[in-house]
Amino acid sequence: MDHKSPMLNDLFGIPWLDFNLSTSLMTIVSAVIVFFICFFATRNLQMKPKGFQNFMEWIVDFVRGIVSDTMDWKTGKVFLPLGLTLLVYIFISNMLGIMTVVVVDDYLWWKSPTSDAVVTLTLSATIVVLTHYYGVKVKGVKEYVKDYFRPVPFIFPFKIIEEFTNTMTLGLRLFGNIFAKEILLSLIIKLAFVATPVTFLAVIPMMAWQGFGLFIGAIQAFIFTMLTMVYMSHKVSSDH
Amino acid sequence: MQLLAGGLTIFASIGGLHLGDMLVVLVSFLLLLALLKKFAWGPLMNQMEKRENYIASEIETAEKNRLEAEKAVNEANERLKSTRQDAQQLIEDAKKAAQQQEQSIIQAAEAAAARIKKSAEEEIAREKEKAIEALQAQVATLSVQIATKVIEKEISAEDQEQLISEYIKEVGEER
């Protein structure tokens, strides 16, 4: 990718406060889009659902299925909003980069926020921190600490490493998929601008890859939500 | 050195570690989570739960109504059966009563007929006796008159009368 990122370094003169403006912008844009979609979809709720309410309830049921697959529903109930938000937010984020890519003066402004590793790793770190928080909250400090020494004490170092690998794999899986998708998209776009006759030919791989990108985006959103619930269940369920 | 430069290029192209971005992502995601929970998922889940409860209560009510209806039907059937039995009993009683009445009417009629017959017979016998008495008296006077006419010249009235009454007595005894 020869696109540059619009950087804003050292905001307010604080040395570590760097912004990739496009990432920040897209993060906020997708959050706003998700909020408005979900907000307007859940106005005017009816006892007999119709139209978009049906779709939203389908999503709720879907995530409820994920949650109750990984842990028992009584403890998993509180994670339903988290799972729903993750699924919708990541899905919308992935979609944003498929529809359009906006490049201004060689600076890449519009992309999927999830094609930036900072975003995905921040999300996965947030999730892992949340799993620890809920682990302590649901089982108590004693049980939470004891869990590091189960089933045998020497597993403790591996359990510590696992927390970091979980964070890395969860974030990098999403990032890798979406980043690869966007790279190939931009390559196809570049191909299209090589010569005029190729422009129309490039439409075919473009559409195919966009379709595949749609698939990847949906699958990755699902996998991220699923794994979140799996990690959560490791921490809050007592049978593990 | 070149390797390091290449690594740095990749590092830069995938974004690099920008704490500002991390903050933006963290804050926007947590804010989104809170807002959606309050404005979207909360109401939606409430609505779904409400519907679940509604359906459950409807099913319960339907089940209760069904049981009640079943009980009512059973009761009605039982009542119908007992009513039928009552009716049957009533008809049988009526038949029996009618038969008894018939019998008694016939008996009464027979008795009345017998009484009437008996009184008629008595009447007949009485009339007969009366007629015989009247005849006896008339026969006596007639025979006296006849005898008077026949034997006026030969015997006196007293002898004649004595003679006739003897005869009449004989006649009466013979009868």
Side-chain angles (χ1 to χ4, degrees), chain B residues 72-93:
Chain B
V73 166
N74 277 348
E75 209 169 286
N77 273 349
E78 220 149 89
R79 226 175 251 182
L80 197 65
K81 216 160 99 186
S82 75
T83 311
R84 242 182 224 150
Q85 267 173 358
D86 283 359
Q88 197 67 31
Q89 190 72 35
L90 222 60
I91 289 170
E92 256 161 43
D93 283 358

mmCIF file of all heavy atoms in Angstrom, chain B residues 72-93:
data_model
loop_
_atom_site.group_PDB
_atom_site.id
_atom_site.type_symbol
_atom_site.label_atom_id
_atom_site.label_comp_id
_atom_site.label_asym_id
_atom_site.label_seq_id
_atom_site.Cartn_x
_atom_site.Cartn_y
_atom_site.Cartn_z
ATOM 1 N N ALA B 72 -66.622 -28.530 32.566
ATOM 2 C CA ALA B 72 -68.006 -28.119 32.321
ATOM 3 C C ALA B 72 -68.724 -29.138 31.450
ATOM 4 O O ALA B 72 -69.887 -29.496 31.693
ATOM 5 C CB ALA B 72 -68.024 -26.743 31.666
ATOM 6 N N VAL B 73 -68.015 -29.614 30.418
ATOM 7 C CA VAL B 73 -68.613 -30.601 29.517
ATOM 8 C C VAL B 73 -68.962 -31.865 30.287
ATOM 9 O O VAL B 73 -70.057 -32.434 30.148
ATOM 10 C CB VAL B 73 -67.648 -30.908 28.349
ATOM 11 C CG1 VAL B 73 -68.083 -32.159 27.619
ATOM 12 C CG2 VAL B 73 -67.578 -29.739 27.391
ATOM 13 N N ASN B 74 -68.010 -32.292 31.120
ATOM 14 C CA ASN B 74 -68.245 -33.502 31.914
ATOM 15 C C ASN B 74 -69.476 -33.337 32.797
ATOM 16 O O ASN B 74 -70.321 -34.233 32.887
ATOM 17 C CB ASN B 74 -67.023 -33.792 32.796
ATOM 18 C CG ASN B 74 -65.954 -34.532 32.012
ATOM 19 O OD1 ASN B 74 -66.229 -35.005 30.902
ATOM 20 N ND2 ASN B 74 -64.774 -34.623 32.565
ATOM 21 N N GLU B 75 -69.511 -32.149 33.429
ATOM 22 C CA GLU B 75 -70.632 -31.874 34.332
ATOM 23 C C GLU B 75 -71.954 -31.911 33.570
ATOM 24 O O GLU B 75 -72.933 -32.517 34.007
ATOM 25 C CB GLU B 75 -70.427 -30.501 34.949
ATOM 26 C CG GLU B 75 -71.027 -30.355 36.319
ATOM 27 C CD GLU B 75 -70.534 -29.067 36.948
ATOM 28 O OE1 GLU B 75 -69.358 -29.008 37.362
ATOM 29 O OE2 GLU B 75 -71.327 -28.119 36.980
ATOM 30 N N ALA B 76 -71.937 -31.253 32.409
ATOM 31 C CA ALA B 76 -73.150 -31.189 31.594
ATOM 32 C C ALA B 76 -73.589 -32.592 31.198
ATOM 33 O O ALA B 76 -74.777 -32.938 31.259
ATOM 34 C CB ALA B 76 -72.906 -30.335 30.360
ATOM 35 N N ASN B 77 -72.601 -33.407 30.794
ATOM 36 C CA ASN B 77 -72.901 -34.781 30.387
ATOM 37 C C ASN B 77 -73.539 -35.557 31.531
ATOM 38 O O ASN B 77 -74.538 -36.263 31.350
ATOM 39 C CB ASN B 77 -71.617 -35.483 29.956
ATOM 40 C CG ASN B 77 -71.324 -35.239 28.495
ATOM 41 O OD1 ASN B 77 -72.179 -34.721 27.774
ATOM 42 N ND2 ASN B 77 -70.128 -35.583 28.072
ATOM 43 N N GLU B 78 -72.947 -35.379 32.713
ATOM 44 C CA GLU B 78 -73.455 -36.098 33.868
ATOM 45 C C GLU B 78 -74.891 -35.677 34.167
ATOM 46 O O GLU B 78 -75.766 -36.495 34.430
ATOM 47 C CB GLU B 78 -72.567 -35.770 35.064
ATOM 48 C CG GLU B 78 -72.299 -36.977 35.932
ATOM 49 C CD GLU B 78 -70.937 -36.864 36.578
ATOM 50 O OE1 GLU B 78 -70.884 -36.290 37.674
ATOM 51 O OE2 GLU B 78 -69.948 -37.311 35.959
ATOM 52 N N ARG B 79 -75.067 -34.357 34.071
ATOM 53 C CA ARG B 79 -76.389 -33.826 34.374
ATOM 54 C C ARG B 79 -77.411 -34.339 33.366
ATOM 55 O O ARG B 79 -78.532 -34.711 33.710
ATOM 56 C CB ARG B 79 -76.346 -32.297 34.334
ATOM 57 C CG ARG B 79 -77.065 -31.726 35.548
ATOM 58 C CD ARG B 79 -76.948 -30.259 35.599
ATOM 59 N NE ARG B 79 -76.063 -29.853 36.685
ATOM 60 C CZ ARG B 79 -75.811 -28.602 36.974
ATOM 61 N NH1 ARG B 79 -76.330 -27.639 36.240
ATOM 62 N NH2 ARG B 79 -75.039 -28.289 37.970
ATOM 63 N N LEU B 80 -76.987 -34.379 32.112
ATOM 64 C CA LEU B 80 -77.867 -34.863 31.051
ATOM 65 C C LEU B 80 -78.254 -36.310 31.335
ATOM 66 O O LEU B 80 -79.433 -36.706 31.206
ATOM 67 C CB LEU B 80 -77.122 -34.768 29.721
ATOM 68 C CG LEU B 80 -77.977 -34.848 28.471
ATOM 69 C CD1 LEU B 80 -78.893 -33.640 28.406
ATOM 70 C CD2 LEU B 80 -77.088 -34.881 27.242
ATOM 71 N N LYS B 81 -77.240 -37.076 31.749
ATOM 72 C CA LYS B 81 -77.481 -38.495 32.006
ATOM 73 C C LYS B 81 -78.505 -38.648 33.132
ATOM 74 O O LYS B 81 -79.477 -39.415 33.027
ATOM 75 C CB LYS B 81 -76.155 -39.158 32.393
ATOM 76 C CG LYS B 81 -76.045 -40.577 31.866
ATOM 77 C CD LYS B 81 -74.601 -41.012 31.840
ATOM 78 C CE LYS B 81 -74.262 -41.855 33.051
ATOM 79 N NZ LYS B 81 -72.832 -42.165 33.120
ATOM 80 N N SER B 82 -78.274 -37.881 34.217
ATOM 81 C CA SER B 82 -79.173 -38.014 35.366
ATOM 82 C C SER B 82 -80.572 -37.530 35.003
ATOM 83 O O SER B 82 -81.568 -38.105 35.433
ATOM 84 C CB SER B 82 -78.617 -37.241 36.559
ATOM 85 O OG SER B 82 -78.804 -35.868 36.370
ATOM 86 N N THR B 83 -80.609 -36.477 34.162
ATOM 87 C CA THR B 83 -81.923 -35.972 33.731
ATOM 88 C C THR B 83 -82.670 -37.026 32.931
ATOM 89 O O THR B 83 -83.877 -37.252 33.112
ATOM 90 C CB THR B 83 -81.737 -34.708 32.885
ATOM 91 O OG1 THR B 83 -80.885 -33.826 33.558
ATOM 92 C CG2 THR B 83 -83.061 -34.055 32.592
ATOM 93 N N ARG B 84 -81.907 -37.680 32.061
ATOM 94 C CA ARG B 84 -82.499 -38.745 31.261
ATOM 95 C C ARG B 84 -83.067 -39.831 32.158
ATOM 96 O O ARG B 84 -84.182 -40.333 31.953
ATOM 97 C CB ARG B 84 -81.428 -39.325 30.341
ATOM 98 C CG ARG B 84 -81.822 -39.099 28.902
ATOM 99 C CD ARG B 84 -80.805 -39.701 27.955
ATOM 100 N NE ARG B 84 -80.538 -38.753 26.905
ATOM 101 C CZ ARG B 84 -79.391 -38.649 26.265
ATOM 102 N NH1 ARG B 84 -78.389 -39.423 26.596
ATOM 103 N NH2 ARG B 84 -79.234 -37.765 25.324
ATOM 104 N N GLN B 85 -82.272 -40.193 33.164
ATOM 105 C CA GLN B 85 -82.726 -41.237 34.095
ATOM 106 C C GLN B 85 -83.996 -40.809 34.799
ATOM 107 O O GLN B 85 -84.957 -41.579 34.915
ATOM 108 C CB GLN B 85 -81.632 -41.497 35.125
ATOM 109 C CG GLN B 85 -80.712 -42.637 34.697
ATOM 110 C CD GLN B 85 -79.542 -42.765 35.650
ATOM 111 O OE1 GLN B 85 -79.433 -41.971 36.581
ATOM 112 N NE2 GLN B 85 -78.698 -43.736 35.418
ATOM 113 N N ASP B 86 -83.993 -39.532 35.221
ATOM 114 C CA ASP B 86 -85.173 -38.995 35.910
ATOM 115 C C ASP B 86 -86.391 -39.101 35.013
ATOM 116 O O ASP B 86 -87.470 -39.532 35.434
ATOM 117 C CB ASP B 86 -84.931 -37.527 36.291
ATOM 118 C CG ASP B 86 -84.039 -37.430 37.509
ATOM 119 O OD1 ASP B 86 -83.655 -38.505 38.039
ATOM 120 O OD2 ASP B 86 -83.723 -36.303 37.920
ATOM 121 N N ALA B 87 -86.180 -38.706 33.760
ATOM 122 C CA ALA B 87 -87.301 -38.705 32.826
ATOM 123 C C ALA B 87 -87.840 -40.115 32.650
ATOM 124 O O ALA B 87 -89.066 -40.352 32.666
ATOM 125 C CB ALA B 87 -86.846 -38.133 31.487
ATOM 126 N N GLN B 88 -86.884 -41.053 32.506
ATOM 127 C CA GLN B 88 -87.265 -42.458 32.333
ATOM 128 C C GLN B 88 -88.106 -42.918 33.521
ATOM 129 O O GLN B 88 -89.174 -43.535 33.372
ATOM 130 C CB GLN B 88 -85.974 -43.286 32.230
ATOM 131 C CG GLN B 88 -86.177 -44.670 31.663
ATOM 132 C CD GLN B 88 -86.596 -44.624 30.202
ATOM 133 O OE1 GLN B 88 -86.205 -43.705 29.483
ATOM 134 N NE2 GLN B 88 -87.424 -45.572 29.800
ATOM 135 N N GLN B 89 -87.595 -42.563 34.703
ATOM 136 C CA GLN B 89 -88.278 -42.941 35.946
ATOM 137 C C GLN B 89 -89.688 -42.372 35.954
ATOM 138 O O GLN B 89 -90.654 -43.079 36.280
ATOM 139 C CB GLN B 89 -87.462 -42.364 37.117
ATOM 140 C CG GLN B 89 -87.882 -42.860 38.463
ATOM 141 C CD GLN B 89 -87.477 -44.320 38.651
ATOM 142 O OE1 GLN B 89 -86.421 -44.733 38.148
ATOM 143 N NE2 GLN B 89 -88.310 -45.101 39.292
ATOM 144 N N LEU B 90 -89.740 -41.096 35.554
ATOM 145 C CA LEU B 90 -91.024 -40.397 35.565
ATOM 146 C C LEU B 90 -92.024 -41.106 34.660
ATOM 147 O O LEU B 90 -93.186 -41.363 35.050
ATOM 148 C CB LEU B 90 -90.790 -38.965 35.076
ATOM 149 C CG LEU B 90 -91.521 -37.867 35.831
ATOM 150 C CD1 LEU B 90 -91.094 -37.883 37.289
ATOM 151 C CD2 LEU B 90 -91.186 -36.520 35.188
ATOM 152 N N ILE B 91 -91.526 -41.460 33.462
ATOM 153 C CA ILE B 91 -92.424 -42.117 32.499
ATOM 154 C C ILE B 91 -92.908 -43.445 33.056
ATOM 155 O O ILE B 91 -94.110 -43.792 32.989
ATOM 156 C CB ILE B 91 -91.681 -42.332 31.162
ATOM 157 C CG1 ILE B 91 -91.482 -40.975 30.466
ATOM 158 C CG2 ILE B 91 -92.457 -43.259 30.248
ATOM 159 C CD1 ILE B 91 -90.576 -41.048 29.282
ATOM 160 N N GLU B 92 -91.962 -44.187 33.657
ATOM 161 C CA GLU B 92 -92.338 -45.494 34.197
ATOM 162 C C GLU B 92 -93.375 -45.351 35.310
ATOM 163 O O GLU B 92 -94.370 -46.095 35.362
ATOM 164 C CB GLU B 92 -91.091 -46.200 34.736
ATOM 165 C CG GLU B 92 -90.633 -47.284 33.772
ATOM 166 C CD GLU B 92 -89.201 -47.676 34.029
ATOM 167 O OE1 GLU B 92 -88.822 -47.820 35.217
ATOM 168 O OE2 GLU B 92 -88.461 -47.821 33.040
ATOM 169 N N ASP B 93 -93.127 -44.368 36.165
ATOM 170 C CA ASP B 93 -94.076 -44.113 37.265
ATOM 171 C C ASP B 93 -95.447 -43.802 36.709
ATOM 172 O O ASP B 93 -96.470 -44.322 37.186
ATOM 173 C CB ASP B 93 -93.578 -42.934 38.105
ATOM 174 C CG ASP B 93 -92.450 -43.363 39.024
ATOM 175 O OD1 ASP B 93 -92.115 -44.570 39.013
ATOM 176 O OD2 ASP B 93 -91.908 -42.500 39.732
#
